[in-house]
Amino acid sequence: MKAYRDQHFLTDPRIVARIADLLDVSGRVVLEIGPGDGILTQALLERGARVISVELDSTLITRLSGRFASEISDGSLTLIHGDAVKVPLPPFEIVMANLPYSISSPITFRLLDIGFEAAILMYQKEFADRMMAHPGTRDCGRLSIMLQTYARANRCFDLPPGAFTPPPKVRSTVVWIEPREPLFPIQNRAVYEDLVRELFTRRRKTVQSTLKALAGRYGTERILSVISDLDPNILSSRPEALYLEDFATISNRLST
Ligand code: SAM
């Protein structure tokens, strides 16, 4: 049998209920990523959700197919065998998952690309801290800026390793995420994404120095015009000191 990473299962029904009760899922279509043995799946079905569960491990798929045979046949549960980062997904409204931590970043950005109403997702605590880090703090990086541009995120509660079997090495954090339109309008999302990536790849450099390094991509004339238009305080800052509005301002100048 092929063993997958990230198989840390919740066993305490009170913790599972605490997660499942964070949103009203009754009558809603809920995407679950990595159902494992089905403890959260069961809680969601009991609360009247229509559940779509995506699981990579074929042994677990076989087990889930037996455990939930009647829910699969009455249409309240759809099981999908595949990698949640790549597999085609049917429409859904809400996402709930005790995520496999190795796919935290790609699955979060995939979900934001697809769109949803709200999500309750469990992450490794250190990853969740970075997602919610405020501009101007050491933990703030590309992940924080990209998530906070397209969504609101709040910490619900933390869980110790002992809440899982087998226990992981790290603490976990349950996060509530709700997509939103960017607070500061972005003219070209691809340019915004490129700029945020480039600035944090050179996080010890000033904005001005990184902009100069992008002359090959955006053209020397445009870069010089952006530099001459920008506030000198922004130009002399490092990316972790910038606010969401600053990233939007720079990328909009780059886009015109
Ligand atoms: N939801 C269960 C629970 O809370 O007890 C299991 C959570 S466990 C942390 C993560 C689950 O995701 C495992 O069942 C694992 O097999 C599955 N998994 C790992 N990588 C995956 C991927 N790329 N796509 C879908 N499922 C994946």
Side-chain angles (χ1 to χ4, degrees):
M1 178 184 113
K2 180 167 180 187
Y4 291 97
R5 285 190 295 157
D6 296 329
Q7 293 190 326
H8 302 284
F9 301 110
L10 285 168
T11 47
D12 184 340
R14 287 166 304 180
I15 294 176
V16 175
R18 212 172 150 199
I19 295 170
D21 288 335
L22 284 167
L23 292 173
D24 180 3
V25 296
S26 175
R28 312 308 302 280
V29 181
V30 179
L31 173 70
E32 185 196 15
I33 294 149
D37 273 332
I39 191 166
L40 180 60
T41 324
Q42 175 79 45
L44 293 170
L45 290 165
E46 282 167 3
R47 284 160 178 75
R50 276 180 39 224
V51 183
I52 301 161
S53 296
V54 184
E55 174 56 61
L56 185 61
D57 184 334
S58 55
T59 308
L60 290 172
I61 284 284
T62 307
R63 213 183 292 167
L64 291 161
S65 305
R67 174 173 177 181
F68 294 109
S70 70
E71 289 84 353
I72 292 169
S73 73
D74 72 19
S76 48
L77 175 64
T78 304
L79 271 186
I80 298 177
H81 181 202
D83 179 348
V85 176
K86 297 182 190 144
V87 80
L89 295 170
F92 56 89
E93 298 165 311
I94 286 172
V95 191
M96 279 215 185
N98 168 11
L99 283 177
Y101 293 155
S102 61
I103 63 166
S104 295
S105 188
I107 196 64
T108 303
F109 287 113
R110 180 173 194 208
L111 294 172
L112 285 170
D113 266 354
I114 296 172
F116 54 92
E117 281 176 29
I120 301 295
L121 300 175
M122 177 139 42
Y123 295 95
Q124 183 175 335
K125 180 176 178 301
E126 188 251 335
F127 186 90
D129 289 345
R130 285 196 288 120
M131 281 169 66
M132 290 178 287
H134 291 296
T137 63
R138 200 175 44 99
D139 275 352
C140 182
R142 177 176 166 245
L143 174 69
S144 340
I145 297 301
M146 293 309 295
L147 181 84
Q148 292 169 33
T149 298
Y150 295 114
R152 290 192 294 149
N154 277 304
R155 183 187 309 275
C156 301
F157 51 85
D158 291 349
L159 287 174
F164 304 87
T165 304
K169 291 199 174 72
V170 291
R171 287 179 71 80
S172 302
T173 299
V174 177
V175 179
W176 170 89
I177 299 177
E178 195 177 85
R180 66 159 178 220
E181 278 303 305
L183 290 176
F184 305 99
I186 292 167
Q187 281 172 21
N188 183 324
R189 291 186 178 207
V191 171
Y192 185 84
E193 199 172 310
D194 185 45
L195 175 76
V196 173
R197 183 186 305 104
E198 292 297 338
L199 284 168
F200 282 105
T201 302
R202 301 173 173 82
R203 63 183 301 149
R204 309 308 307 156
K205 306 276 188 204
T206 63
V207 170
Q208 175 155 350
S209 154
T210 296
L211 283 172
K212 283 185 176 162
L214 295 179
R217 195 172 310 165
Y218 292 94
T220 307
E221 209 175 311
R222 182 179 303 178
I223 292 292
L224 291 177
S225 136
V226 171
I227 288 176
S228 72
D229 278 358
L230 280 175
D231 178 337
N233 288 326
I234 293 184
L235 287 171
S236 60
S237 295
R238 289 182 177 154
E240 71 258 25
L242 300 179
Y243 292 92
L244 290 181
E245 184 179 14
D246 301 326
F247 290 100
T249 302
I250 306 170
S251 91
N252 289 344
R253 297 265 158 85
L254 266 182
S255 309
T256 48

